[in-house]
């Protein structure tokens, strides 16, 4: 890009980055449904983790920041707002890699694990089965009902998730 292009208003038009044919853009609103405002710096951390060229050391540092800043709500919102399954799967992987406690969002991850997209299903399943201290019988029963009523194409994930939950009910 030369200097003329940098100064050209047409080149710098931010609307071009929302062209789904040319760019994969993730947008996260600054507020969640409960009125919690997210910091720009926290959103930047999550977006940087989506970069496929991030080094292992940078990724580990960013994941540590996600945990320290307790970005559970931001990650859930980002997963909900992701426009592609590829982005959704990447965000779900950040959830389990961060080591955050998502016990209160267990049913959300069960729902995501029942996705027809294999990677979304796999990443959400991983989050669900790594949640510790999962012993609320009503939540576990509701999860079983969700699984039984699901028409997901990912039958193995469905069976494995059900087995995991049944083992928690014993």
């Amino acid at each position: 890009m030369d200097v003329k292009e940098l100064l050209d208003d047409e080149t710098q038009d931010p609307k071009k980055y929302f062209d789904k044919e040319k760019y994969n853009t993730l947008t996260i609103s600054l507020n969640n449904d409960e009125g919690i405002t997210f910091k720009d710096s926290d959103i930047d951390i999550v977006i940087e983790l989506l970069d496929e060229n991030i080094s292992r050391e940078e990724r580990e540092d960013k994941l540590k920041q996600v945990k320290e800043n307790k970005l559970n709500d931001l990650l859930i919102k980002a997963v909900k707002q992701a426009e592609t399954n590829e982005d959704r799967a990447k965000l779900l992987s950040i959830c389990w890699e961060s080591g955050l406690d998502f016990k209160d969002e267990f049913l959300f991850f069960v729902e995501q694990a029942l996705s027809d997209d294999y990677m979304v299903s796999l990443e959400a399943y991983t989050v669900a089965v790594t949640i510790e201290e999962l012993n609320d019988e009503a939540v576990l029963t509701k999860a079983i009902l969700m699984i039984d009523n699901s028409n997901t194409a990912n039958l193995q994930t469905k069976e494995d998730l059900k087995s995991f939950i049944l083992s928690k009910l014993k």
Side-chain angles (χ1 to χ4, degrees):
M1 188 177 278
D2 66 12
V3 175
K4 270 187 158 181
E5 281 184 300
L6 286 173
L7 298 175
D8 181 14
D9 287 339
E10 181 76 25
T11 306
Q12 297 304 316
D13 181 9
K15 291 178 187 171
K16 74 178 186 179
Y17 297 110
F18 292 92
D19 179 352
K20 293 179 185 176
E21 300 296 317
K22 294 182 182 177
Y23 297 96
N24 187 3
T25 304
L26 176 67
T27 56
I28 304 170
S29 63
L30 293 174
N31 298 316
N32 78 356
D33 299 332
E34 290 82 40
I36 298 170
T37 301
F38 301 118
K39 296 179 189 174
D40 288 340
S41 58
D42 289 340
I43 293 171
D44 289 343
I45 293 168
V46 172
I47 290 171
E48 289 169 18
L49 281 165
L50 296 174
D51 181 359
E52 294 175 3
N53 298 317
I54 191 171
S55 71
R56 180 180 211 144
E57 294 80 22
E58 289 173 308
R59 184 168 184 80
E60 288 175 6
D61 180 55
K62 298 292 178 201
L63 289 167
K64 183 178 175 187
Q65 291 175 43
V66 166
K67 187 170 186 173
E68 288 171 355
N69 295 354
K70 298 181 174 134
L71 300 184
N72 302 51
D73 291 335
L74 176 60
L75 287 170
I76 296 293
K77 176 143 186 143
V79 171
K80 287 179 180 178
Q81 290 184 341
E83 293 184 8
T84 68
N85 284 327
E86 180 182 354
D87 284 342
R88 189 169 289 108
K90 287 178 185 178
L91 290 160
L92 288 163
S93 75
I94 293 169
C95 292
W96 67 263
E97 288 180 271
S98 70
L100 285 167
D101 179 11
F102 285 102
K103 180 174 70 173
D104 294 336
E105 293 86 9
F106 177 71
L107 292 175
F108 171 77
F109 290 104
V110 169
E111 178 184 4
Q112 295 297 310
L114 298 172
S115 168
D116 284 331
D117 182 84
Y118 177 74
M119 288 309 297
V120 168
S121 179
L122 177 65
E123 298 295 355
Y125 168 82
T126 303
V127 179
V129 299
T130 58
I131 293 174
E132 297 178 10
E133 298 181 33
L134 192 60
N135 51 18
D136 184 331
E137 190 172 323
V139 170
L140 294 170
T141 302
K142 186 168 183 174
I144 292 293
L145 291 172
M146 289 170 66
I147 293 167
D148 287 344
N149 292 325
S150 169
N151 294 323
T152 183
N154 293 311
L155 299 178
Q156 189 63 53
T157 303
K158 183 176 175 176
E159 289 175 24
D160 292 346
L161 187 56
K162 187 171 182 176
S163 285
F164 168 77
I165 294 168
L166 288 172
S167 74
K168 293 287 190 178
L169 284 168
K170 292 180 181 177

